Amino acid sequence: MAITLERMRADIAGMIHEDPKEIGLEDNLMDLGIDSMRLLNLILKWQEDGLDLEFAELADRFTLAGWWEAIQAKQAGSGA
């Protein structure tokens, strides 16, 4: 199952109890409440859906746009 930008936004919003519409592409997700443990939980959730993703691939890009770029590259490389 491919991860979409909308799915990512909804998963992040659910993790921090926010409305998905409130999360902008360039918002700093750390400022919104995504810490390393929450990031790890999101990665585990996405791994369960078949995305081969490592913590380090997202840890240095704490915006939705940065994470989406990394996930798109992963999905393109895996043929998802």
Side-chain angles (χ1 to χ4, degrees):
M1 168 194 227
I3 305 296
T4 65
L5 179 59
E6 293 78 21
R7 156 86 188 277
M8 286 180 59
R9 192 185 311 261
D11 289 347
I12 292 165
M15 187 73 60
I16 57 175
H17 309 291
E18 289 290 333
D19 185 326
K21 295 178 209 146
E22 298 298 316
I23 301 173
L25 285 173
E26 298 300 330
D27 289 347
N28 183 318
L29 299 174
M30 288 181 95
D31 291 345
L32 296 178
I34 298 292
D35 57 17
S36 59
M37 289 305 297
R38 286 186 168 130
L39 172 55
L40 188 56
N41 286 331
L42 287 166
I43 290 170
L44 291 171
K45 180 178 192 149
W46 297 330
Q47 284 175 338
E48 288 174 1
D49 286 333
L51 186 62
D52 180 26
L53 191 63
E54 299 297 324
F55 182 86
E57 293 172 290
L58 300 185
D60 64 343
R61 326 167 177 224
F62 259 86
T63 64
L64 182 57
W67 288 4
W68 178 234
E69 181 182 319
I71 287 176
Q72 279 185 305
K74 270 297 204 186
Q75 290 183 142
S78 70

